Amino acid sequence: MSETEKNRVVVRVPGTSANCGSGFDCIGLAATIYNDLDLTLLEDEKLIIESAGEGAELIPNDEKNIVWKSARLVLERAGFGEKFKGAIIRMENHIPISRGLGSSAAAIVAGLFAANEIINRPFSRNDILRFATEIEGHPDNVAPAIFGGFTVSVVDKGRVQTFSFLPKNKLKLVVAVPDFPLSTRTARQVLPKTVPMKDAIFNISRASMLIAALIKGKDNFLESAFDDALHQPYRKNLVPGMSEVFEAAKNAGALGVALSGAGPCLIAFSSEKKHIENEIATEMVQTFKKNDVQADALILNLDTRGAFVVNG
Ligand code: HSE
């Protein structure tokens, strides 16, 4: 094996949907849509970055590139910062950018995970989670990108604890992807600093119900479990037609529906055995259209493994 081949790895990282409605800033899931990163670490101070696929024209190809910044963090923390000063980064992206499907989390996790592989894994997935949370600022997208499945995360004085699990329910994920981006920053600016006690109780009860119903596989307890009073009501003006699309998805038989992350994607959950995901997708796209929003639909499954090495 040549020196270059030895310092090369290809990793695949899933897209993610944070919040799942009631689990604002703490629950997330990984979905079967992926970004691939082909990373070669170089001893020379040379940086070659090539992106293909979603948002390729928007991705910086210099030191500002988030994949490179993340890889650097791992190298520096492991004491390899002086050995590897450059890289060849090739990305093939399928996760839409700035739509609420965790494209930045996937880039961060890809950089951290790939660099860690090349230097023979000095860090565990939990270490990667800690670094990724440090970069992203919150764990609810990076956690499912690393572990797969549904994740519940708690941050306590900078320490992140994530519980990842696969639900007993067989779910299809229907995502309506509007044709406009929405930055998380903008979507957080519209949130209030404090919330009424009744809204806090509204969410605690539903988020708890969501986890219980998923662990036990009880679809009938999911009915109101995705509903939210802490962020979606304040964000609905940023996504024209959001309430109507929610209604349309539920009328078409969805078990629940939520804003995906900070939006603008909307995600509906449907029972696999009912085979109604195509109808739900059509209703969501058409209802967006009635509100002058062009949207595409993605029909996805839950990703069950998180980031992994494609070759290595
Ligand atoms: N929990 C975050 C939010 C996710 O809703 O603002 C952003 O990606």
Side-chain angles (χ1 to χ4, degrees):
M1 199 190 278
S2 71
E3 267 312 295
T4 324
E5 277 302 305
K6 214 173 71 194
N7 297 327
R8 175 176 176 220
V9 74
V10 181
V11 300
R12 184 166 292 167
V13 183
T16 49
S17 181
N19 304 329
C20 301
S22 56
F24 181 53
D25 273 359
C26 57
I27 296 178
L29 65 82
T32 50
I33 183 165
Y34 300 93
N35 284 357
D36 285 354
L37 165 65
D38 180 342
L39 175 69
T40 305
L41 293 177
L42 304 173
E43 297 190 1
D44 302 340
E45 213 168 299
K46 186 165 91 180
L47 195 55
I48 300 170
I49 302 181
E50 294 168 3
S51 319
E54 286 289 336
E57 65 292 350
L58 304 171
I59 297 172
N61 57 4
D62 54 20
E63 292 77 20
K64 289 199 281 300
N65 183 280
I66 191 73
V67 171
W68 176 233
K69 281 188 175 177
S70 306
R72 289 288 317 158
L73 186 140
V74 156
L75 296 175
E76 274 155 22
R77 299 268 162 105
F80 281 82
E82 286 305 306
K83 179 170 164 67
F84 295 114
K85 294 195 275 298
I88 304 169
I89 292 175
R90 295 203 170 91
M91 287 171 278
E92 166 83 44
N93 297 334
H94 298 278
I95 306 168
I97 288 198
S98 292
R99 296 296 198 281
L101 285 175
S103 60
S104 74
I108 292 167
V109 170
L112 294 169
F113 195 77
N116 190 47
E117 279 300 316
I118 295 173
I119 57 172
N120 289 326
R121 243 175 281 149
F123 299 115
S124 66
R125 281 190 193 240
N126 277 322
D127 295 325
I128 303 277
L129 171 68
R130 189 158 41 86
F131 300 152
T133 305
E134 207 177 297
I135 302 171
E136 173 94 324
H138 56 88
D140 43 340
N141 287 102
V142 294
I146 293 166
F147 296 104
F150 274 87
T151 54
V152 185
S153 300
V154 171
V155 185
D156 188 24
K157 299 185 192 83
R159 183 170 161 261
V160 196
Q161 201 176 24
T162 287
F163 173 63
S164 152
F165 67 96
L166 299 180
K168 281 224 179 103
N169 322 58
K170 295 273 172 265
L171 297 173
K172 282 281 178 190
L173 313 173
V174 184
V175 184
V177 188
D179 68 351
F180 63 89
L182 177 57
S183 77
T184 300
R185 197 157 170 225
T186 305
R188 289 191 89 87
Q189 274 165 355
V190 300
L191 302 179
K193 294 265 178 296
T194 57
V195 293
M197 177 64 89
K198 70 170 179 28
D199 291 349
I201 295 167
F202 183 101
N203 272 59
I204 294 168
S205 56
R206 283 161 180 78
S208 309
M209 184 64 91
L210 176 60
I211 300 306
L214 291 173
I215 298 257
K216 285 285 183 185
K218 302 278 187 194
D219 284 1
N220 53 325
F221 283 95
L222 285 175
E223 204 174 295
S224 61
F226 294 98
D227 294 347
D228 159 79
L230 297 183
H231 66 112
Q232 294 180 172
Y234 304 100
R235 289 171 161 174
K236 72 171 194 244
N237 290 339
L238 300 172
V239 185
M242 183 170 115
S243 308
E244 292 91 326
V245 177
F246 279 7
E247 207 52 43
K250 283 194 174 172
N251 287 340
L255 295 165
V257 57
L259 184 66
S260 182
C265 279
L266 304 183
I267 180 165
F269 300 81
S270 133
S271 165
E272 190 177 272
K273 55 180 185 279
K274 287 196 174 163
H275 303 292
I276 52 171
E277 54 276 7
N278 287 311
E279 287 83 340
I280 295 171
T282 305
E283 286 301 319
M284 291 174 84
V285 168
Q286 280 179 356
T287 309
F288 256 138
K289 200 165 180 191
K290 281 186 203 144
N291 286 275
D292 298 320
V293 174
Q294 289 305 316
D296 287 325
L298 297 169
I299 296 178
L300 306 172
N301 295 313
L302 193 68
D303 167 88
T304 57
R305 67 192 289 197
F308 68 98
V309 175
V310 178
N311 85 335

